[in-house]
Amino acid sequence: MKKITIAIDGHSSCGKSTMAKELARQLGYIYVDTGAMYRAVTLYAIRHELFNLDGSINTQKLQEQMKDIHIHFELNEVTGLPETWLNEECVEQEIRSLEVSNHVSPIAALPFVRTAMVAQQQEMGKCKGVVMDGRDIGTVVFPDAELKVFVTASAEVRAQRRYAELQQKGMPADYADILRNVVERDYIDSHREVSPLKQAPDAILLDNSQMTIAEQNEWLIERFQEAVSKD
């Protein structure tokens, strides 16, 4: 069976990452964790002392060294999960450290870093057998992906899911505040200047407001089978 590139975009709190990981697992594809890529760049910057004492970034040196930062993902044969590799070293554990977490936001905000990461993401897509989720995967990163899915659900349903998730974790949660945040994030994502969230013309809409996870997974597999059967 031929391999394809799968792009999953959509609104926040729709469960995109969960469905993308599960789809990749079922297909034996690589799930590209775009957040992990920015964490890997951050780890590189820390290791090469590209953060100044005040926490700012030596952007000139980092930009000069971007050509030396290569990131890819490999499946762990034991766990069946994708792991992040930085310059031929598995750094899956290192990029989850608190130090990296505390420094990743300013790194991810740099335009030249985003440009470089999109280029690497596009390179991964050339090999096919990739599932990636985000806000602009089907419109910017993989505009030629064989299967594009745009996921949505009502703001109320997404807020309720987030509320239930926080409650299960024993964390404080207020439904009204969460709903307000969901609506605000939708507006910001859809109106940002760079790569705004929007459904690609050839993306298939998936409204999972009333779907179970099992029904959602079955729907995705059916769409995949349809995509690979096309000439």
Side-chain angles (χ1 to χ4, degrees):
M1 183 179 292
K2 70 176 183 180
K3 289 188 175 183
I4 64 174
T5 298
I6 302 173
I8 299 179
D9 291 306
H11 294 100
S12 64
S13 302
C14 281
K16 296 187 302 298
S17 296
T18 299
M19 71 174 69
K21 290 177 183 178
E22 176 59 21
L23 181 61
R25 186 192 68 78
Q26 291 186 54
L27 301 178
Y29 277 25
I30 290 293
Y31 165 65
V32 177
D33 185 342
T34 55
M37 296 182 71
Y38 291 103
R39 284 177 170 271
V41 175
T42 303
L43 179 64
Y44 178 95
I46 292 172
R47 287 179 170 180
H48 290 77
E49 300 181 345
L50 299 181
F51 282 95
N52 301 314
L53 293 177
D54 62 358
S56 61
I57 306 164
N58 188 328
T59 54
Q60 181 178 346
K61 284 190 176 181
L62 178 58
Q63 187 164 14
E64 291 172 353
Q65 295 180 36
M66 285 304 299
K67 65 182 184 301
D68 301 321
I69 301 177
H70 305 285
I71 302 165
H72 72 279
F73 297 87
E74 294 183 13
L75 280 178
N76 182 307
E77 295 182 358
V78 176
T79 65
L81 298 173
E83 294 181 327
T84 310
W85 288 66
L86 169 63
N87 295 339
E88 305 309 318
E89 174 194 355
C90 180
V91 294
E92 186 62 33
Q93 297 302 316
E94 289 83 351
I95 64 172
R96 308 299 174 183
S97 70
L98 181 60
E99 184 178 19
V100 169
S101 296
N102 288 336
H103 289 82
V104 66
S105 291
I107 289 286
L110 295 172
F112 66 84
V113 172
R114 299 197 70 85
T115 298
M117 291 302 97
V118 167
Q120 292 194 29
Q121 291 158 14
Q122 291 173 332
E123 190 63 29
M124 294 175 196
K126 291 181 180 179
C127 299
K128 307 297 181 179
V130 168
V131 182
M132 186 183 300
D133 71 278
R135 301 289 195 277
D136 60 353
I137 309 304
T139 54
V140 176
V141 182
F142 295 141
D144 298 322
E146 292 88 345
L147 175 58
K148 299 179 186 179
V149 177
F150 189 89
V151 191
T152 189
S154 71
E156 291 76 13
V157 166
R158 287 182 282 141
Q160 182 60 46
R161 289 173 179 169
R162 181 62 176 157
Y163 175 76
E165 179 184 355
L166 291 173
Q167 281 199 319
Q168 289 176 357
K169 293 179 179 179
M171 300 175 66
D174 181 88
Y175 173 78
D177 287 342
I178 295 172
L179 177 58
R180 190 178 304 110
N181 177 259
V182 166
V183 173
E184 288 176 353
R185 288 186 64 183
D186 285 352
Y187 182 85
I188 293 171
D189 287 342
S190 301
H191 291 79
R192 65 189 183 192
E193 289 187 15
V194 180
S195 303
L197 170 66
K198 60 181 179 180
Q199 182 178 346
D202 53 346
I204 305 171
L205 181 65
L206 169 59
D207 186 331
N208 63 11
S209 297
Q210 306 301 323
M211 296 176 75
T212 65
I213 293 178
E215 290 172 338
Q216 178 177 271
N217 291 340
E218 182 180 356
W219 185 94
L220 286 167
I221 289 295
E222 290 175 355
R223 301 293 83 73
F224 165 76
Q225 292 172 341
E226 292 172 358
V228 296
S229 66
K230 294 179 181 178
D231 294 331

